[in-house]
Amino acid sequence: MAIECDYQIYIFDNSPEKESIRKFSENRNGIKYFTTGKNLGLGLGISSVCAQAFYENKSALLFFDQDTIFNKDTLDCIEKYHFQRPELAATHSAIVFNAKRIEELDSGNCFKDVPLAINSGSLFYLKNLKKINWHSEKYFVDCVDYEFCFRSKMNGLKIGEYSCTPGFDHVTEQADKKYKIFGKHYLMRAYPSSRIIDVSKSSIKLIFTAMTSGQLAFSLNITKLFLIYIASQIVARFFNAVGEEKV
Protein backbone atom coordinates (compact mmCIF):
# COMPACT_ATOMS: atom_id res chain seq x y z
CA MET A 1 0.00 0.00 0.00
CA ALA A 2 2.76 2.45 0.92
CA ILE A 3 4.70 1.58 -2.24
CA GLU A 4 1.60 2.21 -4.34
CA CYS A 5 1.39 5.64 -2.67
CA ASP A 6 4.92 6.29 -3.97
CA TYR A 7 6.74 6.27 -0.63
CA GLN A 8 10.33 5.08 -0.24
CA ILE A 9 10.30 2.17 2.23
CA TYR A 10 13.17 1.18 4.52
CA ILE A 11 12.95 -2.18 6.28
CA PHE A 12 15.37 -3.23 8.99
CA ASP A 13 14.86 -6.95 9.62
CA ASN A 14 15.91 -8.20 13.05
CA SER A 15 14.51 -11.68 12.31
CA PRO A 16 16.15 -12.61 8.98
CA GLU A 17 15.78 -16.33 9.68
CA LYS A 18 12.11 -15.82 8.78
CA GLU A 19 12.18 -15.48 5.00
CA SER A 20 8.82 -13.80 4.35
CA ILE A 21 9.96 -10.17 4.66
CA ARG A 22 13.20 -10.74 2.78
CA LYS A 23 11.41 -12.57 -0.04
CA PHE A 24 8.78 -9.84 -0.27
CA SER A 25 11.46 -7.15 -0.54
CA GLU A 26 13.53 -8.84 -3.25
CA ASN A 27 13.53 -7.02 -6.60
CA ARG A 28 10.70 -4.76 -5.51
CA ASN A 29 11.10 -1.11 -6.40
CA GLY A 30 10.53 1.26 -3.51
CA ILE A 31 11.94 -0.99 -0.77
CA LYS A 32 15.41 -0.87 0.72
CA TYR A 33 16.04 -3.92 2.90
CA PHE A 34 18.62 -4.07 5.71
CA THR A 35 19.69 -6.81 8.09
CA THR A 36 22.76 -7.73 10.12
CA GLY A 37 21.87 -11.41 10.06
CA LYS A 38 20.85 -11.38 13.71
CA ASN A 39 18.83 -9.34 16.18
CA LEU A 40 20.89 -6.37 17.32
CA GLY A 41 17.96 -4.43 18.73
CA LEU A 42 15.98 -1.29 18.01
CA GLY A 43 18.66 1.30 18.70
CA LEU A 44 20.90 0.05 15.90
CA GLY A 45 17.99 -0.65 13.58
CA ILE A 46 16.40 2.79 13.81
CA SER A 47 19.78 4.51 13.58
CA SER A 48 20.59 2.57 10.42
CA VAL A 49 17.44 3.39 8.48
CA CYS A 50 17.40 7.03 9.62
CA ALA A 51 21.05 7.55 8.67
CA GLN A 52 20.51 5.88 5.30
CA ALA A 53 17.52 8.13 4.57
CA PHE A 54 19.46 11.21 5.68
CA TYR A 55 22.39 10.50 3.38
CA GLU A 56 19.91 10.01 0.55
CA ASN A 57 18.82 13.61 1.18
CA LYS A 58 15.51 12.79 2.85
CA SER A 59 14.36 15.41 5.34
CA ALA A 60 12.21 13.14 7.51
CA LEU A 61 11.45 9.48 8.10
CA LEU A 62 8.24 7.99 9.50
CA PHE A 63 8.89 4.95 11.68
CA PHE A 64 6.50 2.10 12.54
CA ASP A 65 7.07 -1.01 14.64
CA GLN A 66 6.08 -4.27 12.97
CA ASP A 67 2.96 -4.53 15.17
CA THR A 68 1.52 -1.08 14.43
CA ILE A 69 -1.44 -0.95 12.04
CA PHE A 70 -1.82 2.01 9.69
CA ASN A 71 -3.47 2.76 6.34
CA LYS A 72 -3.43 5.30 3.51
CA ASP A 73 -5.40 7.81 5.59
CA THR A 74 -2.65 7.60 8.23
CA LEU A 75 0.08 8.36 5.70
CA ASP A 76 -1.92 11.15 4.05
CA CYS A 77 -2.60 12.79 7.42
CA ILE A 78 1.04 12.69 8.52
CA GLU A 79 2.36 13.93 5.17
CA LYS A 80 -0.15 16.79 5.13
CA TYR A 81 0.74 17.77 8.69
CA HIS A 82 4.45 17.63 7.88
CA PHE A 83 4.09 20.15 5.06
CA GLN A 84 1.62 22.34 6.98
CA ARG A 85 3.98 22.73 9.95
CA PRO A 86 7.49 23.12 8.45
CA GLU A 87 8.62 25.20 11.45
CA LEU A 88 8.61 22.10 13.65
CA ALA A 89 11.69 20.79 11.83
CA ALA A 90 13.72 23.58 13.44
CA THR A 91 12.59 22.99 17.02
CA HIS A 92 11.72 19.28 17.31
CA SER A 93 13.58 16.01 16.85
CA ALA A 94 10.35 14.07 16.30
CA ILE A 95 6.57 14.28 16.19
CA VAL A 96 4.85 11.11 17.37
CA PHE A 97 1.49 10.39 15.74
CA ASN A 98 -1.24 8.29 17.36
CA ALA A 99 -5.03 8.13 17.73
CA LYS A 100 -5.41 8.73 21.47
CA ARG A 101 -7.79 11.67 20.91
CA ILE A 102 -9.13 10.96 17.43
CA GLU A 103 -12.63 11.95 18.61
CA GLU A 104 -11.33 15.49 19.20
CA LEU A 105 -10.18 15.94 15.59
CA ASP A 106 -12.45 18.95 15.03
CA SER A 107 -11.52 20.62 18.31
CA GLY A 108 -8.08 21.79 17.23
CA ASN A 109 -6.54 20.30 20.39
CA CYS A 110 -4.64 17.49 18.70
CA PHE A 111 -1.04 18.71 19.16
CA LYS A 112 1.11 19.26 22.23
CA ASP A 113 4.73 18.91 23.30
CA VAL A 114 5.45 15.93 25.55
CA PRO A 115 8.43 14.89 27.69
CA LEU A 116 8.27 11.22 26.61
CA ALA A 117 7.02 9.33 23.57
CA ILE A 118 7.35 5.89 22.00
CA ASN A 119 9.10 5.40 18.66
CA SER A 120 6.31 3.76 16.68
CA GLY A 121 4.41 6.41 14.77
CA SER A 122 7.24 8.93 15.07
CA LEU A 123 8.15 11.29 12.25
CA PHE A 124 11.87 11.87 12.75
CA TYR A 125 13.50 15.07 11.53
CA LEU A 126 16.72 13.59 10.21
CA LYS A 127 18.93 16.67 10.34
CA ASN A 128 18.21 16.97 14.06
CA LEU A 129 18.78 13.26 14.63
CA LYS A 130 22.21 13.59 13.12
CA LYS A 131 22.94 16.48 15.52
CA ILE A 132 22.24 14.27 18.52
CA ASN A 133 24.03 11.26 16.98
CA TRP A 134 20.93 9.23 16.11
CA HIS A 135 19.44 6.65 18.49
CA SER A 136 21.64 5.00 21.09
CA GLU A 137 22.93 1.55 20.24
CA LYS A 138 23.64 0.95 23.94
CA TYR A 139 19.95 0.21 24.51
CA PHE A 140 18.60 -2.97 22.96
CA VAL A 141 14.80 -2.58 23.01
CA ASP A 142 13.55 -1.08 26.23
CA CYS A 143 14.14 2.63 26.84
CA VAL A 144 15.50 3.20 23.32
CA ASP A 145 12.67 5.70 22.80
CA TYR A 146 12.95 7.33 26.23
CA GLU A 147 16.73 7.69 25.94
CA PHE A 148 16.15 9.40 22.59
CA CYS A 149 13.73 11.81 24.28
CA PHE A 150 16.34 12.48 26.97
CA ARG A 151 19.10 13.37 24.51
CA SER A 152 16.66 15.48 22.51
CA LYS A 153 15.96 17.47 25.65
CA MET A 154 19.65 17.77 26.47
CA ASN A 155 20.24 19.18 22.97
CA GLY A 156 17.44 21.74 23.19
CA LEU A 157 15.03 19.82 20.94
CA LYS A 158 11.38 19.07 21.68
CA ILE A 159 9.16 16.04 21.13
CA GLY A 160 5.68 16.72 19.78
CA GLU A 161 2.58 14.54 19.85
CA TYR A 162 -0.30 14.64 17.37
CA SER A 163 -3.11 12.50 18.80
CA CYS A 164 -5.83 12.65 16.11
CA THR A 165 -4.32 10.40 13.42
CA PRO A 166 -6.84 8.36 11.40
CA GLY A 167 -6.24 4.66 10.79
CA PHE A 168 -3.55 4.40 13.47
CA ASP A 169 -3.78 1.34 15.74
CA HIS A 170 -1.02 0.32 18.14
CA VAL A 171 -3.31 -1.89 20.28
CA THR A 172 -4.91 -4.64 18.18
CA GLU A 173 -1.67 -6.48 17.33
CA GLN A 174 -0.44 -6.41 20.93
CA ALA A 175 -0.73 -9.52 23.10
CA ASP A 176 -2.19 -7.59 26.03
CA LYS A 177 -5.13 -8.77 28.11
CA LYS A 178 -7.70 -6.62 29.87
CA TYR A 179 -7.60 -6.36 33.67
CA LYS A 180 -10.10 -4.60 35.92
CA ILE A 181 -8.56 -2.72 38.84
CA PHE A 182 -10.67 -0.57 41.16
CA GLY A 183 -13.41 -0.35 38.57
CA LYS A 184 -11.14 0.67 35.67
CA HIS A 185 -9.83 -1.47 32.81
CA TYR A 186 -6.14 -1.67 31.91
CA LEU A 187 -4.31 -3.57 29.16
CA MET A 188 -1.34 -5.61 30.37
CA ARG A 189 0.67 -8.73 29.63
CA ALA A 190 3.12 -10.93 31.50
CA TYR A 191 6.55 -10.59 29.92
CA PRO A 192 9.26 -13.28 30.23
CA SER A 193 11.90 -12.81 32.92
CA SER A 194 14.57 -11.90 30.31
CA ARG A 195 12.46 -8.94 29.16
CA ILE A 196 11.82 -7.81 32.73
CA ILE A 197 15.57 -7.89 33.40
CA ASP A 198 16.21 -5.80 30.26
CA VAL A 199 13.55 -3.25 31.26
CA SER A 200 15.01 -3.04 34.77
CA LYS A 201 18.61 -2.58 33.62
CA SER A 202 17.69 -0.05 30.94
CA SER A 203 15.38 1.94 33.20
CA ILE A 204 17.86 2.13 36.08
CA LYS A 205 20.66 3.15 33.71
CA LEU A 206 18.54 5.94 32.22
CA ILE A 207 17.30 7.08 35.63
CA PHE A 208 20.86 7.56 36.88
CA THR A 209 22.03 9.11 33.60
CA ALA A 210 19.27 11.72 33.83
CA MET A 211 19.90 12.30 37.52
CA THR A 212 23.64 12.84 37.11
CA SER A 213 22.91 15.21 34.21
CA GLY A 214 20.76 17.39 36.46
CA GLN A 215 17.47 16.32 34.83
CA LEU A 216 15.66 15.39 38.03
CA ALA A 217 12.14 15.72 36.60
CA PHE A 218 13.02 13.44 33.69
CA SER A 219 14.57 10.93 36.08
CA LEU A 220 11.41 10.94 38.21
CA ASN A 221 9.25 10.38 35.11
CA ILE A 222 11.24 7.27 34.16
CA THR A 223 11.14 6.05 37.77
CA LYS A 224 7.34 6.40 37.78
CA LEU A 225 7.00 4.46 34.51
CA PHE A 226 9.33 1.75 35.78
CA LEU A 227 7.32 1.28 38.98
CA ILE A 228 4.09 1.12 36.95
CA TYR A 229 5.69 -1.53 34.73
CA ILE A 230 6.72 -3.66 37.74
CA ALA A 231 3.22 -3.30 39.21
CA SER A 232 1.67 -4.40 35.89
CA GLN A 233 3.87 -7.52 35.85
CA ILE A 234 2.67 -8.43 39.32
CA VAL A 235 -0.98 -7.94 38.32
CA ALA A 236 -0.57 -9.91 35.09
CA ARG A 237 0.91 -12.86 36.99
CA PHE A 238 -1.28 -13.05 40.07
CA PHE A 239 -4.66 -11.73 38.93
CA ASN A 240 -7.11 -12.97 36.31
CA ALA A 241 -7.80 -11.04 33.15
CA VAL A 242 -11.38 -9.95 32.46
CA GLY A 243 -13.34 -12.95 31.21
CA GLU A 244 -10.85 -15.55 32.46
CA GLU A 245 -11.96 -18.07 35.07
CA LYS A 246 -9.93 -18.71 38.18
CA VAL A 247 -8.00 -21.97 38.19
Side-chain angles (χ1 to χ4, degrees), residues 89-106:
T91 56
H92 291 67
S93 59
I95 308 298
V96 61
F97 290 83
N98 56 52
K100 292 179 182 177
R101 296 188 293 169
I102 187 67
E103 69 282 353
E104 300 178 34
L105 179 59
D106 297 327

Side-chain angles (χ1 to χ4, degrees), residues 162-221:
Y162 183 86
S163 302
C164 304
T165 314
F168 186 96
D169 181 358
H170 193 61
V171 176
T172 300
E173 292 295 322
Q174 305 295 320
D176 296 348
K177 296 179 180 179
K178 186 182 291 186
Y179 293 83
K180 188 174 183 180
I181 303 173
F182 300 120
K184 293 185 177 181
H185 290 98
Y186 299 90
L187 293 174
M188 308 177 198
R189 80 180 90 166
Y191 284 101
S193 57
S194 58
R195 184 68 184 271
I196 296 174
I197 291 172
D198 184 55
V199 171
S200 300
K201 288 181 177 179
S202 299
S203 297
I204 292 170
K205 179 165 66 172
L206 185 54
I207 288 168
F208 279 99
T209 298
M211 191 179 298
T212 56
S213 299
Q215 297 294 331
L216 182 59
F218 192 97
S219 179
L220 290 174
N221 275 337

